[in-house]
Amino acid sequence: MRLTSLAKLLGTALLATAASSALAGEVVVSAAASLTNAFKDAAQSYEAQYPGSKVSLNFAASGVLLQQIVKGAPVDVFASADQETMDAAQKQGLVLPADRMDFVSNSLVLIVPHDSKLGIKSLSDLTHKGVTRVAIANPASVPVGRYSEGALKKANLWDAVQPKAIGTQNVRQSLDYVARGEVDAGFVYATDAAIMKDKVNVVLDVPLEAPVLYPIATIKGSSNGAEAKRFVSYLQTAPAQAILAKYGFKKP
C-alpha cells in the first residue's frame, strides 16, 4: 500500500511538472518605460518560480509600443501607462476586453534638479522668466505627456508653458534631463522620481482629473498565449505585488 501511495504521489508530481513544462517558454512583454525597474525584478522572480520560462522585456513610451505591435512586432503582453493607448489597441482588435485589466496606479509629479535655486513650488511658477526649460514628454505618443498637458490646460497655463517645453521621447528621458540639470523642471511619475531621490526633488503632486491607471493585456493571437496569461496572472500574486509596491506603484 505504501508503494502504491508513493507511486501515486510521484505520478501527481510528474504530471504537475509536465504541465508546468508545457507552459514554459519565452513570453515577450512590451511595457511602458516607467515600469522598467519593477518589471525587470518581476521578470526575474517569475522565471525563478517557473523554471524553463523566459521573459523578454521591451520598454518604451506606450504609444511607441502600440505602433510596434500594429506593425507586427512579436509581442505577447502589453502594459500601458494609460487607458487611451490600451483603448486604441482594443479598437484595432489587438487585445480583447476580457483579457484587459488595470493592475497598478501611479501619480504625476513635478520635479526639479536637486540643487535648484529657482524656488519652483507650483505649476504657475513654471511661467516665471527664470524658468526657461521644462521637460514634457510628447503628448502625442507618451501618456505622461498627455497627463502633463491636461494638468497645465486645466490650470490655464499650457499656452504660457508650452514654449518652454523640451520634448522627450518617454518619461525616463524627462527624468534624466532633470537629474542632469539640463532643464529647470520636468513632469514624471512618482515612481520615476523615487529612483533618483539623490538627484531630483519632488516639488508638487500634480492634480489630475482622472487617476493614472495602468492596464495590461495579452495580445490577441499571441503565439505563446498560455505563458502570456500566466505572466499576467502572476502580476496579481503577493510576490509580484510586493515588487511593484517596492517601486512605489499602488493598487488600482
Side-chain angles (χ1 to χ4, degrees):
M1 291 295 292
R2 289 182 180 178
L3 288 175
T4 301
S5 298
L6 179 60
K8 288 182 178 179
L9 287 172
L10 288 173
T12 301
L14 287 171
L15 286 173
T17 301
S20 178
S21 297
L23 280 172
E26 181 177 9
V27 58
V28 179
V29 180
S30 283
S34 51
L35 290 165
T36 300
N37 301 70
F39 264 32
K40 283 182 178 179
D41 282 5
Q44 290 181 356
S45 178
Y46 176 84
E47 290 172 354
Q49 182 167 332
Y50 299 105
S53 62
K54 171 66 177 177
V55 181
S56 293
L57 299 169
N58 175 38
F59 298 107
S62 300
V64 173
L65 296 174
L66 175 58
Q67 289 308 309
Q68 291 174 355
I69 297 170
V70 169
K71 293 178 181 178
V75 177
D76 302 303
V77 176
F78 177 39
S80 170
D82 72 336
Q83 301 297 322
E84 184 175 331
T85 306
M86 190 64 77
D87 287 344
Q90 184 175 317
K91 288 178 181 178
Q92 295 180 66
L94 299 172
V95 303
L96 297 175
D99 294 332
R100 170 181 174 174
M101 62 181 295
D102 297 332
F103 72 108
V104 288
S105 66
N106 212 334
S107 58
L108 181 69
V109 298
L110 179 65
I111 60 173
V112 299
H114 191 69
D115 59 356
S116 174
K117 306 297 183 184
L118 294 175
I120 299 171
K121 299 294 182 182
S122 67
L123 293 180
S124 60
D125 288 340
L126 298 178
T127 65
H128 293 171
K129 290 183 178 179
V131 180
T132 60
R133 296 166 298 176
V134 181
I136 302 178
N138 180 8
S141 60
V142 191
V144 73
R146 284 195 288 275
Y147 292 130
S148 304
E149 179 183 15
L152 288 168
K153 283 184 174 180
K154 184 180 179 181
N156 295 315
L157 296 170
W158 177 246
D159 290 341
V161 177
Q162 186 181 21
K164 304 180 180 185
I166 302 299
T168 64
Q169 296 179 354
N170 56 63
V171 69
R172 289 301 172 88
Q173 189 174 39
S174 294
L175 178 65
D176 287 340
Y177 281 1
V178 178
R180 295 197 298 263
E182 295 178 5
V183 296
D184 301 313
F187 290 91
V188 300
Y189 297 119
T191 53
D192 297 294
I195 65 174
M196 286 196 176
K197 291 180 179 179
D198 58 330
K199 295 183 179 179
V200 305
N201 290 334
V202 175
V203 295
L204 177 70
D205 288 320
V206 182
L208 296 173
E209 293 184 343
V212 180
L213 298 175
Y214 285 55
I216 190 169
T218 54
I219 298 299
K220 182 180 177 182
S222 163
S223 60
N224 199 357
E227 184 81 16
K229 290 181 179 180
R230 186 168 73 173
F231 179 77
V232 172
S233 296
Y234 172 75
L235 293 176
Q236 303 302 307
T237 67
Q241 286 293 308
I243 291 171
L244 291 164
K246 182 180 73 171
Y247 285 100
F249 289 98
K250 299 178 180 179
K251 292 185 177 181

